[in-house]
Amino acid sequence: MTEQPRLAERNAAVVLPEPFVRWFGQKGWSPRAHQLELLARAQAGQSVLLIAPTGAGKTLAGFMPSLIELANRPRRKPGEAHRGIHTLY
């Protein structure tokens, strides 16, 4: 059985795309550890249950994987069929 990477090591492997880094910076924020942890696990195909106090950024943490995937997805070409629902909240 292999040892799970520690939180800091996993988070270091998560790279936020530039628009997200810029957005956090414009707000004067930095992504929180649990947000990066959730993103790392989602990108690894794992399921996650996040429990955190009100105001901790749970909603953003939950949507960040979808937002990043949508931001990186190529735009639909004119006349190309719609792709359907991506994220359901």
Side-chain angles (χ1 to χ4, degrees):
M1 187 156 118
T2 60
E3 183 178 304
Q4 289 247 345
R6 291 184 298 146
L7 175 64
E9 292 168 353
R10 240 189 333 258
N11 289 349
V14 173
V15 177
L16 290 177
E18 180 56 35
F20 293 86
V21 172
R22 193 171 47 250
W23 182 81
F24 273 104
Q26 288 170 347
K27 301 278 186 194
W29 300 344
S30 295
R32 296 180 177 186
H34 65 273
Q35 292 169 330
L36 295 174
E37 174 74 6
L38 190 145
L39 181 58
R41 288 180 181 260
Q43 289 175 343
Q46 299 175 338
S47 296
V48 179
L49 173 62
L50 175 61
I51 300 170
T54 299
K58 291 181 299 290
T59 302
L60 180 56
F63 276 106
M64 212 165 6
S66 290
L67 294 170
I68 289 171
E69 189 174 305
L70 287 168
N72 290 331
R73 184 163 93 171
R75 296 215 179 266
R76 192 170 52 91
K77 295 176 183 163
E80 186 178 347
H82 288 278
R83 298 178 184 145
I85 296 172
H86 181 280
T87 303
L88 182 63
Y89 176 67

